[in-house]
Amino acid sequence: MNRVPTKRLTLLLLATLAAACTSPCLELAKKVCKCEETISAKNACERRAEAEEANINLSDSDEDRCDDLLDKCKCGALDTPEGRVACGLAREPATPTP
């Protein structure tokens, strides 16, 4: 797996975190952190996610979206546009209108 741009992914994902400890968005952030290549990078990613969770308030629909993404997000796919979408780190590309 190519090295995932850790800081960029973390910042994008941190934008979707919620305040509750059992938040699906925090679980999703930690799942992405587990994709880091080293233990120290994983730990640093998790610390950033936990530090940011209290600063962001999400709606129930945001939490539901994170919950839906939990099963779809896979480490091996984070290097692809589709994988980033599956982990909530990118949006689906817009479909051009004819």
Side-chain angles (χ1 to χ4, degrees), residues 11-72:
L11 291 175
L12 289 171
L13 194 54
L14 289 177
T16 64
L17 290 178
C21 290
T22 59
S23 162
C25 292
L26 181 57
E27 288 179 46
L28 183 60
K30 287 184 175 188
K31 186 170 187 174
V32 171
C33 290
K34 289 180 183 178
C35 299
E36 291 294 335
E37 294 179 359
T38 66
I39 291 173
S40 61
K42 289 175 191 177
N43 291 340
C45 180
E46 286 187 6
R47 282 191 301 273
R48 283 190 303 271
E50 290 170 355
E52 288 295 322
E53 74 167 326
N55 297 324
I56 299 170
N57 293 317
L58 296 178
S59 68
D60 289 342
S61 65
D62 292 327
E63 293 290 351
D64 290 342
R65 184 171 183 328
C66 289
D67 194 44
D68 290 341
L69 294 172
L70 277 169
D71 289 334
K72 298 174 187 172

Side-chain angles (χ1 to χ4, degrees), residues 1-10 32-46 48 75-80 84 89:
M1 178 171 109
N2 293 333
R3 176 138 173 89
V4 176
T6 307
K7 195 173 203 177
R8 187 171 171 208
L9 291 176
T10 301
V32 171
C33 290
K34 289 180 183 178
C35 299
E36 291 294 335
E37 294 179 359
T38 66
I39 291 173
S40 61
K42 289 175 191 177
N43 291 340
C45 180
E46 286 187 6
R48 283 190 303 271
C75 287
L78 280 173
D79 290 333
T80 67
R84 288 187 288 276
L89 300 173

